[in-house]
Amino acid sequence: MTELTPAPGPRPGPRPQSFQAPQGDLTLLAGTGNPQLAAKIAAELGVQLLPSEAPRFSEGNVFVRVLENVRGRDVYVIQGVHLPVNDNFMELLFWIDALKRASAQQVTAVIPFFSYSKGDKKDEPRVSIRARVCADALEVAGCDRVLTMDLHSPQIQGFFGIPVDHLYGRHVICDHIQKLNIPDLVVCSPDIGFAKDAAAYADLLGTPVVIGNKLRTGHDETVQALEVIGDVEDKNVLLVDDFTISGGTLIAMADILKQRGAKDIYAAVTHGVLSQGAAPRIGNSVIKKLFMTDTIEYRLDEFPNNIEIIPVAPVFAEAIRSVHDRTSVSQLFPEK
């Protein structure tokens, strides 16, 4: 039998460059939730932000308008879903609707912090699965894909029938912490739920990992830290979590770590939600330094000296460029 000769052509596997034409002109639109981050992303990409306006009427109604032709463009709406959560989410829906009605070729919702990702399950009678409702609303409004960072529950990506690109803040945070050369460092998860992510932090930093145990009895953000699984005596500890609202979990766990013989306590979160009074509490705590990214811009209190901001605009810019050029987004996050 004659052996078949493979047909000539490109070899299988990842292509070294984009193999399809980009989706129209790359265009960024800044919602009112993240104007500073949007400006930084635009600067990283070397593009101008799309002229737009979003005035609010006296009764709270928001009106959005795009002030330039977007027909056939590939538009990225940068709008976080943080305080005021519902206002920011509705504004995002209106931007998507306005762009699709103006014949944008593709509209991507860039959501630095998706607050409703906490509502991922029905774990009590007669409650809403809020993240699923939000996913449905984004799709109905005309969103073509979502780009976000550190969802509280990664399985929420399955709520969408459109592509979701999930970015990780731990890489930029770990890059910053490595430069500090903190000796005898141990990574600590505040609870079992974040243990896998804490292990990823520890892997990037080349350190051991320990796990905390906490008890939350209601929905009032009150936390009781119970114990630490692992040895922290005479160690410097890095507490890691995806976000902090009141600072209660981090402060309670930091106190437990001190009682177990830890030396300096550091903390790192991707999203610094920080409700009223949280920043002063952190400033007066045993936490030597809290590192958090700039996915959220508002400040209800002046930040104390032990809070440090790490920029994520370069990560979002690279991801947007990859989506636009139809190259891999996952390559931005090589696991070490």
Side-chain angles (χ1 to χ4, degrees), residues 251-262:
I251 294 171
M253 192 56 61
D255 290 339
I256 290 290
L257 290 168
K258 275 293 188 182
Q259 294 172 20
R260 298 299 180 267

Side-chain angles (χ1 to χ4, degrees), residues 81-136:
V81 180
H82 50 255
L83 187 69
V85 175
N86 297 328
D87 287 355
N88 282 334
F89 185 68
M90 290 303 298
E91 182 186 321
L92 175 59
L93 296 180
F94 295 154
W95 283 125
I96 294 168
D97 179 66
L99 291 163
K100 296 300 284 191
R101 292 179 185 277
S103 300
Q105 184 175 350
Q106 176 170 281
V107 177
T108 299
V110 181
I111 309 174
F113 175 55
F114 184 30
S115 177
Y116 278 121
S117 66
K118 298 189 295 291
D120 64 313
K121 56 188 177 296
K122 187 176 183 294
D123 54 354
E124 298 177 37
R126 300 171 295 281
V127 298
S128 169
I129 306 178
R130 293 164 293 160
R132 176 57 193 267
V133 176
C134 292
D136 289 344

Side-chain angles (χ1 to χ4, degrees), residues 191-233:
D191 53 39
I192 299 295
F194 204 71
K196 183 177 179 181
D197 296 89
Y201 267 93
D203 186 50
L204 288 170
L205 293 169
T207 68
V209 61
V210 300
I211 301 173
N213 181 26
K214 72 178 182 183
L215 177 65
R216 191 189 302 275
T217 57
H219 297 288
D220 59 357
E221 299 171 8
T222 301
V223 173
Q224 178 185 359
L226 301 176
E227 192 50 83
V228 178
I229 304 170
D231 181 24
V232 296
E233 188 172 359

